[in-house]
Amino acid sequence: MSLQRRGGRQLARVREVVYSEESHCWLCGSWVDPALPRNHERARSLDHVRPLSHGGAEFDRGNLRLAHRVCNSRRGDRVERKRHVRTW
């Protein structure tokens, strides 16, 4: 199920906020290219810091971070702390 269908407009709004505020994957620390097509493994995606399956808030900006699709997929629904701290 796509995030757009699940969350609709509310998720689209918070996605735009995350995409405008963050430029690096919170999991690997590398820059995320916003020009990549959505189906590219290094494309940008939203990651729930505390996964929905563990009670995380679906639309809370504090629970959403920028991640590469591949990093997000590899993490799955595990709860883990941020690995890299970068200030740009």
Side-chain angles (χ1 to χ4, degrees):
M1 174 185 295
S2 78
L3 291 177
Q4 181 63 31
R5 285 193 350 238
R6 183 175 72 222
R9 290 183 190 145
Q10 190 173 2
L11 188 59
R13 280 191 293 267
V14 73
R15 178 186 299 117
E16 291 309 312
V17 171
V18 172
Y19 288 174
S20 69
E21 293 178 352
E22 299 184 25
S23 60
H24 288 71
C25 175
W26 85 284
L27 296 168
C28 75
S30 297
W31 179 69
V32 179
D33 185 350
L36 290 174
R38 284 185 344 192
N39 62 347
H40 191 281
E41 71 174 13
R42 305 277 296 168
R44 60 189 182 176
S45 71
L46 285 183
D47 186 31
H48 289 88
V49 176
R50 180 170 181 87
L52 301 178
S53 62
H54 292 275
E58 186 169 8
F59 306 114
D60 179 6
R61 171 61 181 100
N63 192 42
L64 292 164
R65 298 296 309 270
L66 179 68
H68 293 112
R69 282 185 65 240
V70 68
C71 295
N72 194 346
S73 295
R74 285 181 184 151
R75 177 173 173 244
D77 71 344
R78 290 186 305 277
V79 178
E80 61 185 52
R81 297 187 184 278
K82 183 176 179 177
R83 293 182 190 157
H84 299 278
V85 178
R86 291 191 180 184
T87 2
W88 301 100

